[in-house]
Amino acid sequence: MDALVERVTAWFADVARDLPWRAPDRTPWGVLVSEVMLQQTPVVRVEPVWHEWMGRWPSPADLAAAPTSEVLRAWGRLGYPRRALRLADCARAIVERHGGAVPSDEKALRALPGVGEYTAAAVRAFAFGRRAVVVDTNVRRVQARAVTGDALPAPSYTAAERRLAASLVPDGDTDAAAWAAASMELGAVVCTARVPRCDVCPVRDLCAWRVAGFPPDEHAHRRRTQSWDGTDRQVRGRVMAALRGADGPVPRELLTDAGPEAQLDRCLAGLVEDGLAETDEAGRFMLPV
C-alpha cells in the first residue's frame, strides 16, 4: 500500500497535466466550479467554459447576483444543465452562510446545495490542501485493478471500496492531498476504462489485476448501456440549445425538430419542472429570468 501511494504520487509530480484549477493562483471557488463542471464531462470540454465562467463570475457573490438565463447560456453545451442551477444556488448559500468565502470544513461543504460526498472531499483536498478521502470513477478503477485485482469496480460504490479508499489516504494533509490528485490523474490518463496504458503505468509491477493475468470484468452483465440517439436527454439538449440561442420566447412550433411530438411535450414539461425553462402568457418557452 505504501509503495503504491509513494510511486503514484511521485509519478504525478513529474507528469501532472497543467490545468487552470491546479494553478498556484487557483481559488477555492474556482476549484468548486471545476469540480461541478467535471461531473460526467471530460476536461477538454470543461476547460474553455471554466475560463469564460471564471472571467464573468470570479467569486460566489458574482454568480449569486447573475440572472438565471445568463447562467444557463454560459453553461453552454456542457450537458446536465441542472448543475448550473445547483451551482448558482450554491453560490447564494456561500454568500448567505459564509460571507462569500467557500468553507474548508467538509461538513459545511456538504451542507451546500448540490455538493455531495465526492465534491466536498475534492474541494477540501484540492482547494485547501487538507486530508480527505477523494473517490471518483477514476480512483475507483485504480483501486479495483491495483489493489483488489478486478478489471473494473462494481457498478455501485460499495462499503468495502470506501474502507479501502480511506486506508490508502496518508495521514498528513500534504501527502493526502497529493495522493488524491495523483490517483485521480492515474485513472484519467493511464488506467483508463477501455484501453489502459499498462506499459507506462508507474505501478504495473504492483498491480494485482496484471499479476492475476488481466481477468475480465465480472460485473459486465450488470452494466447498463443506452444509445444517445432518440433519448429524452438528446431532445432536452436540443430544446435548451434553441432557448439559449433565441433572443426572446420561442413558440412550441419552432421546437418541433427537437423530437417526436409526445416526447417533445414530455421533455418541455420536464424542463419547466426542473427550473430550466419557463413559459409566458402565450405559451412560448424561454430560459428562466
Side-chain angles (χ1 to χ4, degrees):
M1 294 287 194
D2 290 343
L4 175 74
V5 172
E6 290 172 5
R7 283 205 212 167
V8 174
T9 303
W11 165 85
F12 178 73
D14 290 335
V15 305
R17 289 173 292 176
D18 183 17
L19 301 176
W21 43 86
R22 290 177 176 169
D25 63 349
R26 70 189 182 280
T27 64
W29 172 242
V31 172
L32 176 54
V33 170
S34 75
E35 288 299 336
V36 174
M37 288 184 171
L38 287 165
Q39 293 167 9
Q40 302 184 50
T41 309
V43 167
V44 67
R45 290 179 58 198
V46 167
E47 191 166 356
V49 179
W50 183 90
H51 278 294
E52 178 186 353
W53 191 284
M54 295 306 297
R56 295 182 66 176
W57 303 304
S59 74
D62 296 315
L63 182 61
T68 300
S69 58
E70 291 306 308
V71 172
L72 290 173
R73 284 195 176 93
W75 194 258
R77 300 178 62 83
L78 283 183
Y80 301 99
R82 277 180 288 185
R83 291 182 294 168
L85 299 184
R86 291 198 297 267
L87 195 49
D89 289 339
C90 182
R92 286 187 280 270
I94 290 171
V95 171
E96 294 168 2
R97 304 175 194 171
H98 304 286
V102 177
S104 61
D105 178 73
E106 198 161 346
K107 183 177 180 180
L109 284 164
R110 291 196 65 173
L112 296 173
V115 175
E117 177 182 357
Y118 164 76
T119 302
V123 171
R124 182 169 167 80
F126 305 147
F128 299 102
R130 303 296 298 277
R131 187 183 189 278
V133 182
V134 184
V135 182
D136 73 342
T137 300
N138 294 310
V139 175
R140 291 184 66 208
R141 189 164 56 251
V142 168
Q143 289 185 177
R145 288 176 176 163
V147 182
T148 61
D150 297 321
L152 291 170
S156 299
Y157 191 37
T158 66
E161 284 181 276
R162 181 176 277 105
R163 290 191 297 270
L164 174 59
S167 72
L168 288 169
V169 179
D171 292 332
D173 284 337
T174 301
D175 290 343
W179 164 247
S183 55
M184 190 178 299
E185 186 86 339
L186 185 66
V189 302
V190 174
C191 196
T192 54
R194 295 187 179 182
V195 188
R197 300 167 59 212
C198 298
D199 56 319
V200 296
C201 178
V203 292
R204 56 186 177 275
D205 60 317
L206 301 178
C207 178
W209 184 50
R210 181 174 179 270
V211 170
F214 306 107
D217 176 18
E218 65 179 75
H219 304 288
H221 64 287
R222 297 172 53 197
R223 302 189 195 281
R224 295 182 299 174
T225 59
Q226 182 181 30
S227 172
W228 167 252
D229 290 337
T231 61
D232 282 5
R233 277 190 58 210
Q234 184 182 51
V235 173
R236 284 167 63 104
R238 289 170 175 168
V239 172
M240 289 299 295
L243 299 186
R244 287 195 306 269
D247 293 329
V250 180
R252 185 196 178 284
E253 54 266 27
L254 295 184
L255 298 171
T256 54
D257 289 342
E261 183 174 357
Q263 186 179 30
L264 176 59
D265 285 338
R266 180 173 69 247
C267 291
L268 286 169
L271 290 170
V272 171
E273 183 178 354
D274 291 341
L276 294 168
E278 59 187 27
T279 58
D280 63 7
E281 294 179 355
R284 298 173 297 182
F285 295 86
M286 56 189 173
L287 295 177
V289 178

